[in-house]
Amino acid sequence: MTSQRPLIFDLTYSELEDYFKLKDEPAYRAEQTWVALYKYFKVDVHDISTLPTDLRAQLGEDFLFEGLTPLRTIRSEDGQTVKTLFELEDGALIEAVLMRYDERRTLCISSQSGCGLGCSFCATGQMGFSRNLTSGEIVAQVMFFARELAKTDEGVTNVVFMGMGEPFANYKQVMAALDRLNDPRGFGLGARRMTISTVGLAHKIRQFADTESQINLAVSLHTVDDELRSQLMPINKKYPVASLLDACRYYVEKTNRRLTFELALIDGVNDSAADARALAYQLQGLLCHVNLIPLNPTRSYAKTGSPVDRAKAFCDVLEESNIPCTIRLRRGIDIAAGCGQLAADSNLKS
Ligand code: SF4
């Protein structure tokens, strides 16, 4: 079922102003609508009580207000991680995860339905590419969880692009979504509370660096061995480790911001002391932090995550070289929280 109506979340503030101007409505209608959407998370246009009734009806005829339908939600055993599979208007599937940790309420959201980059250990990569999301479809994921959290007087504190897809392969829409989420007139989430995670499209890292944005950047590095990295992540053939790290140095020089390298530690594949020393050597002098995440198992990748003691030994090697390092918990492993796992399972079953 495809709607011809555009999604209201796809509009910029000035596009919304233009819309009301065309309707001969006063300029403050844009602000009223923006506040209803992004501060009160209204999803039914008829609930926007600050607008006249006939204008609400008109808006409802002209725009779609939700854009995604939750198909399935599962919770981790401890209830702290919630993962939802959504269907978009054209039937494309995406998923997003809410993680509660201390005071943080972090959303892991998708930028594409499926992904064409084919990383061998990734459930989304194993599904293939369906399509890019619009900025509104990206924003709608955040608004869905903001609405859910508001029911318990909680709010979204952080957003990371680590769900389905490579955000820099959908650069324009992702940047537009970040702008909308950051807009202080509406949702107002601080730039430093949002993170783009990329597999390393070097030219896009440079483009992003040139914006001098305060949004965090994380790079899924996994290894500095080109041969192994190309096996794990075919994109490495296009942007080998040296060119990727050059782009990372450019980013740090340009922004003076610390970037994060993510390593999915895979038992017996990229987790030896020699691997750690090679990584430490390559990252010397770069303003960075390394996150080590024992790999989430997926249906079609036979390897498992590294045991904790090996992850600790890996971390020790990095810290001896003054490279800050954290071992991250595999949160939500019991609900297949790795990106794409729920949608991939759903496709397998359909
Ligand atoms: S890890 Fe990211 S880039 Fe690689 S296949 Fe999965 S979603 Fe795509």
Side-chain angles (χ1 to χ4, degrees), residues 223-231 236 239-242:
T223 174
V224 289
D225 177 330
D226 266 319
E227 199 182 326
L228 174 60
R229 195 165 190 272
S230 296
Q231 281 170 23
N236 190 67
Y239 303 107
V241 172

Side-chain angles (χ1 to χ4, degrees), residues 66-72 84-89 144:
E66 193 159 19
L68 36 77
T69 309
L71 290 185
R72 211 176 134 204
T84 302
L85 175 69
F86 296 101
E87 184 177 31
L88 303 177
E89 277 296 293
F144 174 87

Side-chain angles (χ1 to χ4, degrees), residues 18 41 59 111 116 144 172 212 258 304 327 331-332 343:
D18 291 346
F41 321 127
L59 267 177
S111 55
F144 174 87
K172 210 172 146 200
E212 297 182 25
R258 181 185 299 271
T304 56
I327 300 169
R331 298 186 58 75

Side-chain angles (χ1 to χ4, degrees), residues 106-146:
T106 301
L107 297 184
C108 175
I109 60 170
S110 296
S111 55
Q112 300 179 309
S113 172
C115 180
L117 297 187
C119 302
S120 57
F121 50 81
C122 166
T124 303
Q126 290 153 18
M127 283 169 65
F129 178 67
S130 172
R131 70 169 172 85
N132 281 329
L133 302 193
T134 68
S135 61
E137 289 168 331
I138 295 168
V139 167
Q141 297 169 62
V142 179
M143 292 307 120
F144 174 87
F145 282 105

Side-chain angles (χ1 to χ4, degrees), residues 95-285:
E95 52 191 48
V97 183
L98 162 66
M99 291 166 284
R100 288 183 168 90
Y101 188 71
D102 293 339
E103 299 302 308
R104 287 185 176 214
R105 302 291 176 265
T106 301
L107 297 184
C108 175
I109 60 170
S110 296
S111 55
Q112 300 179 309
S113 172
C115 180
L117 297 187
C119 302
S120 57
F121 50 81
C122 166
T124 303
Q126 290 153 18
M127 283 169 65
F129 178 67
S130 172
R131 70 169 172 85
N132 281 329
L133 302 193
T134 68
S135 61
E137 289 168 331
I138 295 168
V139 167
Q141 297 169 62
V142 179
M143 292 307 120
F144 174 87
F145 282 105
R147 211 157 40 238
E148 290 299 306
L149 285 168
K151 292 174 189 167
T152 45
D153 286 328
E154 299 171 282
V156 175
T157 63
N158 299 76
V159 169
V160 298
F161 281 82
M162 287 188 192
M164 293 169 83
E166 160 55 45
F168 279 162
N170 187 16
Y171 187 90
K172 210 172 146 200
Q173 297 298 323
V174 166
M175 291 302 143
L178 287 166
D179 271 356
R180 225 155 289 150
L181 294 170
N182 184 228
D183 188 334
R185 292 169 297 192
F187 195 60
L189 189 64
R192 288 171 183 242
R193 292 179 174 271
M194 298 190 273
T195 301
I196 292 180
S197 175
T198 175
V199 286
L201 308 192
H203 66 303
K204 292 292 178 188
I205 291 175
R206 289 173 184 272
Q207 188 179 342
F208 179 64
D210 287 337
T211 68
E212 297 182 25
S213 165
Q214 296 296 300
I215 287 158
N216 304 305
L217 182 64
V219 175
S220 298
L221 189 58
H222 305 317
T223 174
V224 289
D225 177 330
D226 266 319
E227 199 182 326
L228 174 60
R229 195 165 190 272
S230 296
Q231 281 170 23
L232 295 171
M233 313 166 80
I235 193 71
N236 190 67
K237 291 176 195 147
K238 194 163 177 196
Y239 303 107
V241 172
S243 75
L244 169 57
L245 292 180
D246 271 354
C248 292
R249 281 185 209 99
Y250 179 79
Y251 169 83
V252 172
E253 273 164 31
K254 195 85 192 172
T255 64
N256 204 25
R257 302 215 59 211
R258 181 185 299 271
L259 62 76
T260 300
F261 289 105
E262 309 274 358
L263 269 85
L265 281 188
I266 311 170
D267 192 13
V269 173
N270 62 349
D271 60 353
S272 70
D275 291 320
R277 284 194 295 273
L279 177 67
Y281 179 75
Q282 294 279 356
L283 300 188
Q284 260 332 305

